[in-house]
Amino acid sequence: MADTMQFDLVSPERSLASVPVREVRLPGTDGDLSAMPGHAATIVTLRPGMVILVGADGSQSEFAVTGGFAEINADSVSLLAERGHPREEVTQDVFNDMMRDAHREHRNAQERRDHAGEEFVTAAVKMLGDMQAIGTHIGLDPNQSTVPD
């Protein structure tokens, strides 16, 4: 079995990474998981969180994603993020923008509660919590962005 697998991360705006890795840690909607060479083929829905790559040399890099999908195979992981940024690009302003989007989704879910159901409001509340956790992980202040547009 190979020691590394190919990892590709793209968002609608750009390609964020295309590198060999020995491990990818993903924020799955059903729980966090790690993919390594030889992993069973699966498709994973992602929640907002940090994607952590472990390179062949043991170095780590992180990307903040707001959700998306990952296709895992024995020799590759392809991730399509709704929105993604390398950790070093997530400034307070970028994070505030991401939080405004999350607040907007929460507000829309509350407005559609009668038509869409309570589970959409619950999912939106969880998404806000996940987004706040990203900011805390990076060392940003989630309270600076609590007022939605």
Side-chain angles (χ1 to χ4, degrees):
M1 180 173 15
D3 290 339
T4 63
M5 61 196 305
Q6 179 62 32
F7 175 77
D8 293 293
L9 169 58
V10 296
S11 70
E13 297 83 25
R14 63 186 169 153
S15 174
L16 294 162
S18 182
V19 295
V21 297
R22 71 173 192 214
E23 181 181 0
V24 179
R25 298 178 196 149
L26 300 167
T29 55
D30 293 329
D32 293 350
L33 68 132
S34 292
M36 293 182 266
H39 196 286
T42 188
I43 295 178
V44 178
T45 305
L46 303 174
R47 64 175 169 73
M50 300 301 295
V51 174
I52 301 171
L53 309 180
V54 180
D57 61 356
S59 64
Q60 292 190 10
S61 55
E62 297 181 310
F63 296 85
V65 298
T66 60
F69 298 92
E71 180 181 9
I72 302 171
N73 292 297
D75 60 356
S76 67
V77 174
S78 297
L79 193 158
L80 176 57
E82 292 173 359
R83 182 172 178 179
H85 297 278
R87 177 185 173 142
E88 57 274 4
E89 287 183 10
V90 184
T91 63
Q92 187 68 52
D93 288 338
V94 169
F95 178 67
N96 290 350
D97 187 48
M98 293 167 74
M99 284 297 295
R100 276 191 292 277
D101 289 345
H103 280 286
R104 192 175 305 113
E105 288 293 321
H106 179 249
R107 187 174 58 243
N108 290 341
Q110 287 179 315
E111 291 170 359
R112 295 188 313 255
R113 176 180 290 168
D114 292 340
H115 301 292
E118 195 64 34
E119 65 273 7
F120 287 102
V121 176
T122 302
V125 169
K126 182 172 179 349
M127 180 184 59
L128 276 173
D130 290 339
M131 289 299 301
Q132 289 173 334
I134 289 173
T136 301
H137 177 83
I138 294 175
L140 300 174
D141 184 2
N143 297 318
Q144 283 192 19
S145 57
T146 56
V147 179
D149 284 333

